[in-house]
Amino acid sequence: MKNLMLGILSCSRFKLRSVPDYFFRGLKGEGIPLEARIFAVIDVYDALTSDRPYPKAWSKEETLEYIREQSGKHFDPQVVEVFLKLEIDG
């Protein structure tokens, strides 16, 4: 649980771009705990596919495409690969 919380505090962004290290606690890439990298993908999937007052939920296909596009940027590519396999093969 400590690793998960530390990763969430790091904002769990897999690839950093010109954002101050203090904001991310110096964690990036595989330095972010695996639990947090997994949580990042699941959290975005849930947020995008859930109806909210604004905006409306995305379709499963739109959400999976967005996650694919963010692989290696916002998400760990290995985590995305496993997530997509599990989600598609169900």
Side-chain angles (χ1 to χ4, degrees), residues 34-86:
L34 178 59
E35 298 94 333
R37 290 182 272 145
I38 293 168
F39 182 80
V41 175
I42 295 167
D43 183 51
V44 168
Y45 181 86
D46 180 63
L48 293 177
T49 58
S50 298
D51 267 330
R52 315 249 171 163
Y54 181 83
K56 294 290 184 194
W58 290 14
S59 71
K60 178 180 173 180
E61 293 75 22
E62 290 172 310
T63 303
L64 294 177
E65 181 58 31
Y66 175 78
I67 290 172
R68 273 187 206 94
E69 290 171 2
Q70 294 302 309
S71 178
K73 300 173 189 171
H74 187 81
F75 306 120
D76 179 333
Q78 293 175 323
V79 171
V80 169
E81 181 181 342
V82 171
F83 177 80
L84 293 173
K85 181 165 179 43
L86 292 171

